[in-house]
């Protein structure tokens, strides 16, 4: 497969951040006197901004300021993440080296804020691999809309049709396929929605499998 570029999702794809995000919901909601509802973290996985705020309003009522809860969640997460180095997903370092050796430009496109993404990359010593890092705070519409991946392609100067998107979440799958990208999903805690599977280029078990897929 000839690729013009690769765009990585971050949470759950590059780093094992999802268990930590799970612990952030309860203290964030408590600031507004709200209890955690079962399945909220899963429904919001891979989603941020106004889309996430809409889910919160639907669950808790229109009188709840969904964006305020969203910002509180990110504030709680930022404090946790900036005090630690989150483990990388298996196969990430090998995949980055593989792509770098072939001069394939790479970017990160994440629902997390840009500064949090930069921290994770710097803390793990892999920031130098990426030409661009785009956070969810830099686009108006978050995943499952394709905006952030399209912005990544624009910055890399590549065509979505010849650009690989690596994701882990159902929202990320929708974002990649709706943007016309070569979308590969490596599920973390959630499987892609069944109606999206036929639109994927591949469904893999780990990042270790990506080089072989590209060689094939």
């Amino acid at each position: 497969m000839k690729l013009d570029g690769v765009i990585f999702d971050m949470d759950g794809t590059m780093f094992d951040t999802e268990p930590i995000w799970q612990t952030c919901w309860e203290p964030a909601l408590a600031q507004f006197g709200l209890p955690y509802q079962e399945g909220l973290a899963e429904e919001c996985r891979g989603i941020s901004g106004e889309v996430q705020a809409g889910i919160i309003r639907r669950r808790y009522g229109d009188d709840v300021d969904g964006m305020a809860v969203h910002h509180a969640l990110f504030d709680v997460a930022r404090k946790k993440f900036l005090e630690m180095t989150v483990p990388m997903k298996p196969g990430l370092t090998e995949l980055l080296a593989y792509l770098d050796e072939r001069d394939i430009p790479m970017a990160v496109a994440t629902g997390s804020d840009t500064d949090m993404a930069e921290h994770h990359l710097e803390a793990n010593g892999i920031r130098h691999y990426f030409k661009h890092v785009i956070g969810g705070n830099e686009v108006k519409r978050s995943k499952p809309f394709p905006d952030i991946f399209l912005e990544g392609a624009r910055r890399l100067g590549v065509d979505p049709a010849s650009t690989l998107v690596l994701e882990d979440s159902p929202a990320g799958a929708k974002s990649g396929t709706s943007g016309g990208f070569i979308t590969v999903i490596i599920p973390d805690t959630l499987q892609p929605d069944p109606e999206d599977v036929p639109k994927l280029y591949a469904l893999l078990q780990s990042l270790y499998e990506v080089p072989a897929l590209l060689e094939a």
Side-chain angles (χ1 to χ4, degrees):
M1 181 195 303
K2 181 184 181 301
L3 289 180
D4 291 334
V6 178
I7 305 176
F8 287 76
D9 168 58
M10 185 182 73
D11 294 296
T13 301
M14 298 176 65
F15 301 108
D16 194 19
T17 54
E18 296 299 354
I20 301 164
W21 276 106
Q22 181 82 37
T23 68
C24 298
W25 278 101
E26 192 168 341
L29 289 163
Q31 296 178 34
F32 303 87
L34 300 172
Y36 176 75
Q37 291 184 3
E38 193 66 31
L40 175 61
E42 288 76 14
E43 187 174 1
C44 290
R45 190 147 296 157
I47 294 170
S48 63
E50 185 55 47
V51 179
Q52 188 179 91
I55 293 171
I56 293 166
R57 286 193 297 269
R58 175 171 54 78
R59 279 176 167 262
Y60 291 94
D62 289 337
D63 57 331
V64 171
D65 188 338
M67 279 305 296
V69 176
H70 163 75
H71 289 309
L73 175 72
F74 273 57
D75 287 343
V76 172
R78 182 175 285 104
K79 290 174 184 176
K80 286 178 179 282
F81 285 132
L82 293 181
E83 295 175 352
M84 62 191 301
T85 299
V86 180
M88 291 186 287
K89 283 288 191 172
L92 178 60
T93 53
E94 291 83 354
L95 176 57
L96 293 175
Y98 171 89
L99 297 171
D100 186 58
E101 288 170 3
R102 288 156 180 78
D103 295 320
I104 299 174
M106 293 174 266
V108 173
T110 173
S112 292
D113 286 353
T114 308
D115 66 336
M116 203 180 300
E118 293 280 5
H119 165 75
H120 291 320
L121 297 171
E122 292 286 358
N124 281 279
I126 59 173
R127 175 62 181 88
H128 63 283
Y129 284 111
F130 299 97
K131 291 184 177 295
H132 301 283
V133 178
I134 308 107
N137 56 299
E138 298 186 57
V139 294
K140 290 183 177 180
R141 300 187 304 176
S142 77
K143 303 169 189 177
F145 295 101
D147 301 33
I148 195 163
F149 288 133
L150 292 173
E151 177 62 16
R154 186 191 69 79
R155 294 192 194 184
L156 287 175
V158 295
D159 181 356
S162 57
T163 301
L164 178 68
V165 158
L166 293 171
E167 262 283 359
D168 74 291
S169 71
K174 294 179 189 297
S175 181
T177 57
S178 66
F181 292 87
I182 303 166
T183 306
V184 171
I185 301 299
I186 303 101
D188 183 26
T189 58
L190 299 173
Q191 293 294 318
D193 294 333
E195 66 269 20
D196 291 325
V197 173
K199 305 172 188 176
L200 302 175
Y201 185 79
L203 178 64
L204 304 180
Q205 297 303 308
S206 80
L207 294 172
Y208 281 121
E209 299 177 57
V210 177
L213 177 73
L214 300 182
E215 291 292 337

